[in-house]
């Protein structure tokens, strides 16, 4: 739910637009239906906030250490006792999600988590005075640990790298929205259990991995990128941009804005509704967040729920493309 805590976080980022806040999605993922797949609707506040980067946990890839040689069913038999999740190892491939990772969507239909990052069998610091060894001891000062609380600090580090990229390579001080958009735009869809109707096997965006696995290298690579970081409002108007696109390379556009906070009783968290519309040289139109098979599709309706909208054109026609940001409803 979008509660008062989520509203407070959104208010803070809206008031401090260069402050990136990364939070864990939570560790409430279970297979209560006992069908072998993790259930949806388990992200708790403040991960339900709009302006934060909410992070779920993917598998770290590790063959030893911690609980790497154990299955989810062996570690948490009451939560995951059916295949494929119950018989899946906790750290066998980076193409899967951690079973415990909380899942979306939000009650108003927003896509969450935003992104995922490794969260199983992470080598983490350990106090020399600690009585616990977490998921397994490494030495006096390090232990193996897991959780979205491992994935979110890794993601905060990724966000810091992206901020440094813009400061040093682009001579630009980025907003939190631009950093979030960059991480989303360069993320990688993971295959999950290769079941296109279940969990991370579903194409992006989905409510298990969000927009995918963070790729720090791609997010901080120079070239083949242009950005607009606009601190002025467009009101009820339209901001239009044109780009010359070559054929054969996907054309990916991500729009993110730090929205004004909503009240916890409003039902719909979105306050200012911006719409993304992308038009190709032949007049074909794509709307934000109208996806099928991981790529944008024509038709559909404008998104009036999310403050993240993307258009990913897999095989764009060569020529001049127009990207429009439309102020559909801007009360604040």
């Amino acid at each position: 739910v979008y509660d008062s805590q989520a509203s407070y976080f959104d208010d803070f980022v809206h008031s401090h637009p260069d402050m990136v806040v990364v939070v864990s999605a939570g560790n409430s993922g279970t297979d209560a239906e006992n069908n072998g797949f993790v259930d949806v609707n388990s992200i708790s506040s403040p991960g339900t906030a709009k302006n934060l980067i909410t992070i779920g946990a993917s598998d770290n890839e590790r063959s030893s250490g911690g609980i790497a040689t154990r299955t989810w069913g062996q570690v948490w038999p009451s939560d995951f006792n059916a295949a494929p999740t119950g018989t899946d190892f906790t750290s066998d491939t980076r193409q899967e999600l951690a079973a415990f990772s909380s899942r979306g969507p939000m009650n108003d239909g927003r896509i969450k988590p935003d992104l995922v990052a490794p969260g199983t069998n992470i080598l983490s610091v350990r106090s020399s005075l600690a009585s616990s060894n977490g998921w397994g001891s490494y030495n006096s000062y390090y232990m193996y640990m897991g959780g979205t609380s491992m994935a979110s600090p890794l993601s905060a580090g990724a966000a810091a790298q992206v901020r440094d990229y813009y400061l040093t390579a682009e001579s630009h001080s980025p907003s939190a929205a631009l950093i979030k958009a960059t991480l989303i735009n360069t993320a990688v869809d993971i295959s999950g259990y290769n079941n296109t109707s279940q969990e991370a096997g579903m194409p992006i965006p989905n409510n298990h991995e969000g927009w995918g696995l963070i790729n720090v290298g791609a997010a901080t690579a120079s070239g083949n990128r242009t950005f607009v970081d606009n601190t002025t409002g467009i009101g009820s108007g339209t901001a239009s941009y044109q780009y010359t696109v070559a054929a054969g390379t996907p054309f990916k556009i991500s729009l993110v804005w730090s929205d004004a906070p909503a009240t916890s009783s409003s039902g719909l968290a979105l306050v200012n509704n911006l719409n993304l519309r992308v038009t190709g040289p032949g007049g074909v139109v794509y709307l934000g967040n109208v996806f099928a098979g991981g790529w944008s599709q024509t038709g559909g309706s404008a998104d009036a729920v999310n403050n993240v909208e993307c258009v990913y054109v897999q095989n764009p026609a060569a020529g001049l493309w127009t990207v429009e940001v439309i102020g559909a409803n801007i009360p604040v």
Side-chain angles (χ1 to χ4, degrees):
V1 299
Y2 187 86
D3 61 5
S4 59
Q5 179 176 224
S7 180
Y8 293 154
F9 272 89
D10 280 344
D11 183 46
F12 178 81
V13 177
H14 183 253
S15 302
H16 303 81
D18 63 341
M19 181 66 183
V20 178
V21 180
V22 179
V23 295
S24 305
N27 303 322
S28 299
T30 61
D31 178 19
E33 297 177 353
N34 199 31
N35 65 353
F37 300 104
V38 177
D39 306 326
V40 296
N41 295 108
S42 55
I43 293 178
S44 58
S45 178
T48 58
K50 300 171 289 185
N51 297 338
L52 312 183
I53 303 178
T54 304
I55 300 294
S58 61
D59 281 8
N60 191 13
E61 194 168 302
R62 189 187 293 281
S63 60
S64 62
I67 59 171
T69 60
R70 302 175 67 186
T71 66
W72 295 110
Q74 290 172 330
V75 181
W76 288 284
S78 61
D79 291 331
F80 314 108
N81 60 10
T85 299
T87 57
D88 181 36
F89 288 92
T90 59
S91 300
D92 55 340
T93 172
R94 67 191 71 184
Q95 289 296 320
E96 294 173 353
L97 291 181
F100 56 72
S101 185
S102 293
R103 319 298 170 102
M106 303 298 91
N107 283 353
D108 59 3
R110 283 178 294 123
I111 301 165
K112 285 285 179 173
D114 295 297
L115 295 157
V116 297
T120 65
N121 288 297
I122 304 297
L123 199 57
S124 182
V125 292
R126 177 186 183 275
S127 168
S128 60
L129 303 178
S131 59
S132 172
N133 287 320
W135 282 17
S137 177
Y138 181 76
N139 60 25
S140 299
Y141 301 102
Y142 291 90
M143 64 183 182
Y144 296 98
M145 196 60 191
T148 54
S149 292
M150 297 287 104
S152 60
L154 288 173
S155 303
Q161 292 288 336
V162 173
R163 177 174 175 79
D164 181 70
Y165 162 81
Y166 279 110
L167 288 170
T168 58
E170 302 285 356
S171 299
H172 175 75
S173 182
S175 68
L178 177 60
I179 292 174
K180 183 175 180 179
T182 303
L183 289 169
I184 286 173
N185 187 269
T186 55
V188 179
D189 189 8
I190 60 177
S191 58
Y193 296 127
N194 292 304
N195 184 329
T196 57
S197 64
Q198 294 285 355
E199 293 196 12
M202 293 189 293
I204 58 168
N206 62 67
N207 287 297
H208 298 271
E209 62 177 312
W211 292 95
L213 176 67
I214 288 178
N215 184 331
V216 184
T220 57
S222 59
N224 297 321
R225 174 188 307 179
T226 185
F227 65 92
V228 175
D229 202 10
N230 191 0
T231 59
T232 60
I234 65 171
S236 59
T238 298
S240 182
Y241 312 89
Q242 290 189 316
Y243 304 101
T244 300
V245 178
T249 302
F251 183 38
K252 300 174 66 178
I253 307 97
S254 294
L255 167 68
V256 174
W257 66 99
S258 295
D259 195 26
T263 60
S264 58
S265 60
S266 63
L268 180 66
L270 192 69
V271 175
N272 294 313
N273 180 22
L274 301 177
N275 289 328
L276 178 63
R277 183 169 64 196
V278 179
T279 305
V284 61
V285 175
Y286 298 93
L287 300 178
N289 293 356
V290 179
F291 275 71
W295 297 99
S296 291
Q297 306 295 308
T298 57
S301 302
D303 188 323
V305 175
N306 291 281
N307 65 324
V308 174
E309 293 198 17
C310 295
V311 168
Y312 295 171
V313 183
Q314 186 175 18
N315 296 301
L320 195 64
W321 286 70
T322 300
V323 175
E324 295 173 288
V325 179
I326 303 165
N329 183 36
I330 313 295
V332 180

